[in-house]
């Protein structure tokens, strides 16, 4: 509660903080805004896919995003998010789309 998922390096562009009870669409925006603001607000993060998945006895969400860095490199994000006991748990894989994201897709 009240914490960001990345460490802030820009006091003028704060990172969003987690709030208990966030809905799936709010968690999606939380992750997207976190990524955008961690890159100085200069990128546009696009949702490629978001779907519920079973994680043990709980429901989690798999979120697949993409964005382009300023110099043109496309990055892919594959994240798994769940909340339990008012805490957010995130596993996130970020890699260049062209080679590494596809190469390691089966492991992810």
């Amino acid at each position: 509660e009240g914490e960001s998922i990345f460490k802030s390096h820009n006091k003028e562009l704060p990172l969003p903080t987690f709030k208990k009870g966030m809905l799936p669409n709010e968690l999606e925006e939380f992750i997207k805004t976190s990524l955008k603001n961690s890159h100085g607000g200069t990128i546009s993060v696009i949702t490629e896919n978001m779907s519920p998945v079973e994680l043990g006895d709980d429901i989690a969400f798999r979120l697949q995003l993409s964005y382009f860095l300023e110099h043109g490199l496309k990055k892919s994000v594959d994240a798994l998010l769940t909340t339990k006991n008012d805490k957010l748990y995130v596993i996130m894989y970020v890699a260049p789309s062209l080679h590494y994201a596809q190469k390691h897709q089966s492991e992810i």
Side-chain angles (χ1 to χ4, degrees):
E1 176 81 20
E3 292 185 36
S4 59
I5 59 171
F6 300 120
K7 190 166 184 106
S8 179
H9 297 288
N10 184 347
K11 293 182 182 187
E12 295 177 16
L13 192 60
L15 294 173
T17 57
F18 172 73
K19 295 168 188 64
K20 64 182 178 181
M22 290 176 92
L23 299 172
N25 64 313
E26 294 171 318
L27 290 172
E28 174 190 7
E29 284 305 313
F30 170 70
I31 297 295
K32 288 171 71 171
T33 303
S34 296
L35 285 165
K36 179 178 181 176
N37 290 4
S38 70
H39 283 85
T42 59
I43 64 169
S44 178
V45 182
I46 299 165
T47 301
E48 303 286 339
N49 189 30
M50 182 172 173
S51 57
V53 295
E54 288 184 30
L55 185 63
D57 293 333
D58 298 317
I59 296 294
F61 293 92
R62 184 171 185 189
L63 184 58
Q64 295 169 309
L65 308 168
S66 65
Y67 60 90
F68 287 90
L69 296 177
E70 288 180 15
H71 60 290
L73 179 65
K74 183 178 181 184
K75 294 271 195 139
S76 292
V77 179
D78 202 336
L80 189 64
L81 302 94
T82 190
T83 56
K84 189 166 187 151
N85 300 325
D86 295 329
K87 292 184 180 182
L88 173 66
Y89 295 90
V90 179
I91 299 170
M92 187 180 309
Y93 178 73
V94 181
S97 299
L98 186 58
H99 176 71
Y100 293 100
Q102 295 170 2
K103 178 180 179 182
H104 300 292
Q105 186 66 39
S106 64
E107 293 173 45
I108 296 168

